[in-house]
Amino acid sequence: MPQLDTSTWLITILSMVLTLFIMMQLKVSKHSFHSNPEPLEVKSSKHTTPWETKWTKIYSPLSLPQR
């Protein structure tokens, strides 16, 4: 049974990692980022719903009395 030749694996893996790193750097460098992002003012309107003023209890079916 012939033995697997692993002598070229190191250079293959290193070149692959280097290529991926360069490609990611080029991809990121093409993006234009805002220099100073400002937070957006969000207008929150208060909606009053009937259940906000009442105290409600949720009954689980297991806690109801047995019939």
Side-chain angles (χ1 to χ4, degrees):
M1 184 169 185
Q3 191 168 353
L4 187 61
D5 183 23
T6 59
S7 62
T8 59
W9 284 15
L10 180 65
I11 191 68
T12 304
I13 292 171
L14 288 177
S15 64
M16 180 181 64
V17 167
L18 181 67
T19 306
L20 285 173
F21 177 75
I22 292 172
M23 287 176 66
M24 287 304 294
Q25 291 296 320
L26 288 172
K27 192 173 184 73
V28 168
S29 69
K30 288 182 181 178
H31 285 291
S32 61
F33 296 103
H34 297 294
S35 59
N36 190 8
E38 296 293 327
L40 279 175
E41 293 295 326
V42 179
K43 293 180 181 179
S44 63
S45 60
K46 179 71 176 158
H47 296 294
T48 57
T49 54
W51 56 82
E52 283 181 0
T53 57
K54 297 178 187 175
W55 180 81
T56 59
K57 183 173 181 180
I58 298 171
Y59 290 97
S60 129
L62 295 175
S63 69
L64 291 174
Q66 297 291 323
R67 288 194 235 171

